[in-house]
Amino acid sequence: MAYILLLVGFVLLIKGASYFVDGSSNIARLLQVPPILIGLTIVAFGTSSPEATVSILAALEGSSDVAVGNVVGSNIFNITLVVGLTAFLYPLKVEAETIKKEIPFTLLASVSLLILMSDVALQGFSENMITRSDGFIFLLFLCIFVYYIIEVGLKSRKNAVNEPAPENISWGKNIFITIIGLAAIIFGGDLVVNNGTKIAYSLGMSETLVGLTIIAVGTSLPELVTSISAALKKESEIALGNIVGSNIFNILFVLGASAVISPLQVNDKVFMDVVLMIALTVILLIFSRTGYKVGKREGMVLAVVYIIYLAYIIVRN
C-alpha cells in the first residue's frame, strides 16, 4: 500500500504542478505581465513547488535528511539528467544573460549553502545545522533574485507590445485551476514524504538516500517534463531557464522556508553531494560558454554522470 500511495503522491505532484503552472501563466497573461517574467518566476516556481511542499512537510515532521536530501538531489538531477536528456533531444541555446547572471547566481546559492551548513568545520559546533537565521539569509538572497527578475521584466516591457489576451482565457477558470493544482501539490507532497520514509525504513535505506533518490527524482519530474516539452517545441531558452531558475528557487526558497519553519540538521554524508552539486554547476557554466549552447555530446556526458552518481550513493548507503 505504501508503494501505491507513493505513486499516487507522485502523480498528484506532477499533475498539480502542471495545473498550477498553466493556471498561473494564464493569470499572468491576463495581467499583461511580460513573458520573460512569467518564465523566470511562475514556471520556475511552479516546477519547484513539489520540492517546496515535500521539504517543508518533511521539516515539519522532523525528517531533516529528507528535506535537505530532496533539494540537493533534485538540483543534481536537474543539472545532469534533465539538462542531459533535453540537450540530447535538441541542443540547448543559452542566452548571454543566463551565462553572465543566472548560472553564476545558482553557483552563489550553492556555495552559500555549503558555507552556512558547515557549522562544525567553521564554527566548532557539535553538529551541522541549517538554522532559522540561515533560512532568513536564503530568503533575503531570494529577494535579491526576485528584484533582478523584476528589473529584467520592466526593461523587456518597454520593448514589448502587449497583445490582448485570447478570448478563451477566463479569470474564474484559471483561478480554479491554480487552486486545484496547489491543493494536489500539497496533498501529493504529504503522501510522498510519509510513504517514501516508510519504504526507506523497510528496505534498510537511510532517510538521506531516499531524499537524494526516490523523492528527489519524483519531485523533479515536473522540471523534466517541462524542459523536454520546451526542447521538442524548439524553445530551448525556456528549457534551460526553467532548470536554472528551479535550482535557485530550490536552495533559496525551499531550504530557506523549511529552515525558518524548523531548523534542519545536516547529515555528514550530504557534504559530498553539495560539493558535487557545486562542481556540476561550474561544469554547466563551462558547457554553456562553448558556443552559447549545450550540445548533444555535453548532454550525454551529463546524463552518464548522473548514472555514475546514482550508483555511488546506493553503494555508499
Side-chain angles (χ1 to χ4, degrees):
M1 183 57 71
Y3 286 97
I4 294 171
L5 290 175
L6 180 69
L7 184 62
V8 170
F10 281 146
V11 170
L12 287 172
L13 282 174
I14 296 164
K15 293 301 292 181
S18 176
Y19 284 133
F20 180 75
V21 171
D22 289 345
S24 301
S25 298
N26 285 335
I27 289 171
R29 289 191 186 97
L30 287 167
L31 291 171
Q32 306 258 320
V33 177
I36 190 168
L37 203 60
I38 298 170
L40 286 171
T41 54
I42 294 171
V43 175
F45 180 75
T47 54
S48 290
S49 50
E51 284 93 339
T53 307
V54 168
S55 288
I56 289 170
L57 288 171
L60 287 169
E61 294 172 12
S63 300
S64 295
D65 287 350
V66 172
V68 177
N70 173 40
V71 167
V72 177
S74 291
N75 281 14
I76 291 172
F77 181 83
N78 286 346
I79 296 171
T80 53
L81 204 63
V82 177
V83 173
L85 289 178
T86 308
F88 183 74
L89 290 172
Y90 186 81
L92 294 173
K93 183 181 176 184
V94 187
E95 294 290 332
E97 288 292 307
T98 302
I99 294 172
K100 292 178 182 177
K101 296 177 181 176
E102 288 156 26
I103 297 179
F105 202 93
T106 310
L107 188 59
L108 173 66
S110 302
V111 173
S112 300
L113 171 60
L114 181 63
I115 292 170
L116 291 176
M117 72 186 211
S118 301
D119 295 329
V120 174
L122 297 179
Q123 303 193 65
F125 291 170
S126 59
E127 60 182 1
N128 295 304
M129 296 281 293
I130 301 174
T131 63
R132 280 197 174 90
S133 299
D134 297 337
F136 280 116
I137 289 170
F138 283 138
L139 293 177
L140 287 172
F141 273 135
L142 179 66
C143 291
I144 295 169
F145 179 65
V146 170
Y147 176 78
Y148 155 71
I149 290 172
I150 291 171
E151 284 293 304
V152 170
L154 290 174
K155 285 180 182 178
S156 70
R157 193 167 193 172
K158 292 177 182 178
N159 302 321
V161 178
N162 288 325
E163 297 178 0
E167 295 180 0
N168 59 343
I169 295 180
S170 64
W171 280 99
K173 178 183 176 182
N174 287 289
I175 289 172
F176 177 74
I177 288 173
T178 304
I179 293 171
I180 289 295
L182 189 60
I185 288 167
I186 293 169
F187 184 61
D190 191 41
L191 288 176
V192 168
V193 171
N194 291 334
N195 293 286
T197 307
K198 284 179 186 176
I199 292 168
Y201 285 135
S202 68
L203 296 175
M205 295 169 65
S206 64
E207 280 192 3
T208 303
L209 181 62
V210 79
L212 287 166
T213 55
I214 298 171
I215 294 176
V217 172
T219 54
S220 291
L221 289 177
E223 282 94 337
L224 182 63
V225 172
T226 302
S227 295
I228 288 177
S229 175
L232 291 173
K233 293 175 183 176
K234 299 185 179 180
E235 295 176 348
S236 58
E237 300 95 331
I238 294 175
L240 189 60
N242 167 45
I243 294 161
V244 172
S246 292
N247 279 16
I248 293 170
F249 273 101
N250 284 347
I251 295 173
L252 301 183
F253 175 71
V254 177
L255 278 183
S258 300
V260 166
I261 291 167
S262 177
L264 303 170
Q265 187 173 2
V266 180
N267 191 307
D268 292 341
K269 290 180 180 178
V270 175
F271 279 86
M272 184 61 71
D273 303 293
V274 173
V275 170
L276 177 63
M277 178 178 71
I278 293 169
L280 288 168
T281 306
V282 173
I283 290 169
L284 179 62
L285 183 60
I286 294 169
F287 283 172
S288 299
R289 293 184 69 88
T290 56
Y292 288 90
K293 69 175 183 178
V294 181
K296 290 192 175 187
R297 187 178 299 172
E298 290 96 338
M300 284 187 67
V301 170
L302 290 171
V304 169
V305 166
Y306 184 75
I307 295 168
I308 295 169
Y309 166 71
L310 197 60
Y312 160 70
I313 57 174
I314 292 171
V315 171
R316 183 180 69 182
N317 184 65

PDB file of all heavy atoms in Angstrom, residues 28 32-39 153-154 156-157 160 162:
ATOM      1  N   ALA A  28      -1.147  35.449 -15.353  1.00  0.00           N
ATOM      2  CA  ALA A  28      -0.101  36.438 -15.652  1.00  0.00           C
ATOM      3  C   ALA A  28      -0.362  37.115 -16.997  1.00  0.00           C
ATOM      4  O   ALA A  28      -0.146  38.322 -17.152  1.00  0.00           O
ATOM      5  CB  ALA A  28       1.270  35.772 -15.643  1.00  0.00           C
ATOM      6  N   GLN A  32      -1.239  41.058 -18.111  1.00  0.00           N
ATOM      7  CA  GLN A  32      -0.329  41.700 -19.065  1.00  0.00           C
ATOM      8  C   GLN A  32       1.121  41.742 -18.563  1.00  0.00           C
ATOM      9  O   GLN A  32       1.844  42.718 -18.787  1.00  0.00           O
ATOM     10  CB  GLN A  32      -0.811  43.120 -19.376  1.00  0.00           C
ATOM     11  CG  GLN A  32      -2.249  43.198 -19.857  1.00  0.00           C
ATOM     12  CD  GLN A  32      -2.363  43.377 -21.351  1.00  0.00           C
ATOM     13  OE1 GLN A  32      -1.613  44.104 -21.958  1.00  0.00           O
ATOM     14  NE2 GLN A  32      -3.312  42.694 -21.945  1.00  0.00           N
ATOM     15  N   VAL A  33       1.532  40.692 -17.869  1.00  0.00           N
ATOM     16  CA  VAL A  33       2.912  40.583 -17.386  1.00  0.00           C
ATOM     17  C   VAL A  33       3.785  40.105 -18.540  1.00  0.00           C
ATOM     18  O   VAL A  33       3.391  39.213 -19.286  1.00  0.00           O
ATOM     19  CB  VAL A  33       2.999  39.582 -16.197  1.00  0.00           C
ATOM     20  CG1 VAL A  33       4.443  39.402 -15.746  1.00  0.00           C
ATOM     21  CG2 VAL A  33       2.145  40.072 -15.051  1.00  0.00           C
ATOM     22  N   PRO A  34       4.996  40.689 -18.735  1.00  0.00           N
ATOM     23  CA  PRO A  34       5.867  40.270 -19.838  1.00  0.00           C
ATOM     24  C   PRO A  34       6.190  38.781 -19.789  1.00  0.00           C
ATOM     25  O   PRO A  34       6.378  38.227 -18.697  1.00  0.00           O
ATOM     26  CB  PRO A  34       7.140  41.098 -19.606  1.00  0.00           C
ATOM     27  CG  PRO A  34       6.693  42.265 -18.812  1.00  0.00           C
ATOM     28  CD  PRO A  34       5.566  41.788 -17.957  1.00  0.00           C
ATOM     29  N   PRO A  35       6.304  38.117 -20.942  1.00  0.00           N
ATOM     30  CA  PRO A  35       6.576  36.678 -20.991  1.00  0.00           C
ATOM     31  C   PRO A  35       7.845  36.260 -20.261  1.00  0.00           C
ATOM     32  O   PRO A  35       7.881  35.215 -19.625  1.00  0.00           O
ATOM     33  CB  PRO A  35       6.696  36.389 -22.495  1.00  0.00           C
ATOM     34  CG  PRO A  35       5.918  37.474 -23.145  1.00  0.00           C
ATOM     35  CD  PRO A  35       6.078  38.672 -22.273  1.00  0.00           C
ATOM     36  N   ILE A  36       8.912  37.096 -20.349  1.00  0.00           N
ATOM     37  CA  ILE A  36      10.162  36.723 -19.682  1.00  0.00           C
ATOM     38  C   ILE A  36       9.976  36.636 -18.173  1.00  0.00           C
ATOM     39  O   ILE A  36      10.574  35.803 -17.496  1.00  0.00           O
ATOM     40  CB  ILE A  36      11.295  37.738 -20.029  1.00  0.00           C
ATOM     41  CG1 ILE A  36      12.632  37.200 -19.531  1.00  0.00           C
ATOM     42  CG2 ILE A  36      11.014  39.120 -19.467  1.00  0.00           C
ATOM     43  CD1 ILE A  36      13.832  37.958 -20.053  1.00  0.00           C
ATOM     44  N   LEU A  37       9.097  37.503 -17.635  1.00  0.00           N
ATOM     45  CA  LEU A  37       8.816  37.485 -16.203  1.00  0.00           C
ATOM     46  C   LEU A  37       8.068  36.209 -15.831  1.00  0.00           C
ATOM     47  O   LEU A  37       8.311  35.621 -14.774  1.00  0.00           O
ATOM     48  CB  LEU A  37       7.985  38.717 -15.831  1.00  0.00           C
ATOM     49  CG  LEU A  37       8.042  39.175 -14.370  1.00  0.00           C
ATOM     50  CD1 LEU A  37       9.458  39.526 -13.983  1.00  0.00           C
ATOM     51  CD2 LEU A  37       7.128  40.373 -14.171  1.00  0.00           C
ATOM     52  N   ILE A  38       7.171  35.763 -16.715  1.00  0.00           N
ATOM     53  CA  ILE A  38       6.427  34.521 -16.490  1.00  0.00           C
ATOM     54  C   ILE A  38       7.392  33.340 -16.440  1.00  0.00           C
ATOM     55  O   ILE A  38       7.326  32.497 -15.531  1.00  0.00           O
ATOM     56  CB  ILE A  38       5.377  34.296 -17.606  1.00  0.00           C
ATOM     57  CG1 ILE A  38       4.353  35.430 -17.605  1.00  0.00           C
ATOM     58  CG2 ILE A  38       4.669  32.958 -17.412  1.00  0.00           C
ATOM     59  CD1 ILE A  38       3.430  35.420 -18.806  1.00  0.00           C
ATOM     60  N   GLY A  39       8.307  33.278 -17.418  1.00  0.00           N
ATOM     61  CA  GLY A  39       9.236  32.151 -17.489  1.00  0.00           C
ATOM     62  C   GLY A  39      10.164  32.064 -16.304  1.00  0.00           C
ATOM     63  O   GLY A  39      10.392  30.988 -15.752  1.00  0.00           O
ATOM     64  N   GLY A 153      12.193  42.166 -16.254  1.00  0.00           N
ATOM     65  CA  GLY A 153      10.834  42.232 -16.783  1.00  0.00           C
ATOM     66  C   GLY A 153      10.422  43.647 -17.186  1.00  0.00           C
ATOM     67  O   GLY A 153       9.828  43.860 -18.242  1.00  0.00           O
ATOM     68  N   LEU A 154      10.776  44.630 -16.342  1.00  0.00           N
ATOM     69  CA  LEU A 154      10.423  46.019 -16.636  1.00  0.00           C
ATOM     70  C   LEU A 154      11.164  46.536 -17.867  1.00  0.00           C
ATOM     71  O   LEU A 154      10.608  47.285 -18.679  1.00  0.00           O
ATOM     72  CB  LEU A 154      10.737  46.899 -15.420  1.00  0.00           C
ATOM     73  CG  LEU A 154       9.831  46.693 -14.193  1.00  0.00           C
ATOM     74  CD1 LEU A 154      10.323  47.514 -13.022  1.00  0.00           C
ATOM     75  CD2 LEU A 154       8.374  47.050 -14.520  1.00  0.00           C
ATOM     76  N   SER A 156      12.218  44.650 -20.374  1.00  0.00           N
ATOM     77  CA  SER A 156      11.658  43.987 -21.553  1.00  0.00           C
ATOM     78  C   SER A 156      10.291  44.557 -21.900  1.00  0.00           C
ATOM     79  O   SER A 156       9.897  44.567 -23.064  1.00  0.00           O
ATOM     80  CB  SER A 156      11.541  42.474 -21.310  1.00  0.00           C
ATOM     81  OG  SER A 156      10.535  42.198 -20.364  1.00  0.00           O
ATOM     82  N   ARG A 157       9.586  45.058 -20.877  1.00  0.00           N
ATOM     83  CA  ARG A 157       8.241  45.581 -21.110  1.00  0.00           C
ATOM     84  C   ARG A 157       8.269  46.841 -21.986  1.00  0.00           C
ATOM     85  O   ARG A 157       7.338  47.110 -22.751  1.00  0.00           O
ATOM     86  CB  ARG A 157       7.578  45.895 -19.768  1.00  0.00           C
ATOM     87  CG  ARG A 157       6.082  46.136 -19.871  1.00  0.00           C
ATOM     88  CD  ARG A 157       5.431  46.127 -18.513  1.00  0.00           C
ATOM     89  NE  ARG A 157       3.992  46.053 -18.647  1.00  0.00           N
ATOM     90  CZ  ARG A 157       3.162  45.868 -17.623  1.00  0.00           C
ATOM     91  NH1 ARG A 157       3.648  45.717 -16.407  1.00  0.00           N
ATOM     92  NH2 ARG A 157       1.882  45.813 -17.807  1.00  0.00           N
ATOM     93  N   ALA A 160       8.334  45.582 -25.423  1.00  0.00           N
ATOM     94  CA  ALA A 160       7.300  44.602 -25.792  1.00  0.00           C
ATOM     95  C   ALA A 160       5.976  45.301 -26.076  1.00  0.00           C
ATOM     96  O   ALA A 160       5.625  46.287 -25.457  1.00  0.00           O
ATOM     97  CB  ALA A 160       7.118  43.584 -24.674  1.00  0.00           C
ATOM     98  N   ASN A 162       2.123  44.838 -25.748  1.00  0.00           N
ATOM     99  CA  ASN A 162       1.149  43.994 -25.062  1.00  0.00           C
ATOM    100  C   ASN A 162       0.000  43.639 -25.993  1.00  0.00           C
ATOM    101  O   ASN A 162      -0.691  44.515 -26.515  1.00  0.00           O
ATOM    102  CB  ASN A 162       0.584  44.723 -23.835  1.00  0.00           C
ATOM    103  CG  ASN A 162       1.613  44.824 -22.713  1.00  0.00           C
ATOM    104  OD1 ASN A 162       2.407  43.906 -22.536  1.00  0.00           O
ATOM    105  ND2 ASN A 162       1.582  45.920 -21.977  1.00  0.00           N
TER     106      ASN A 162
END
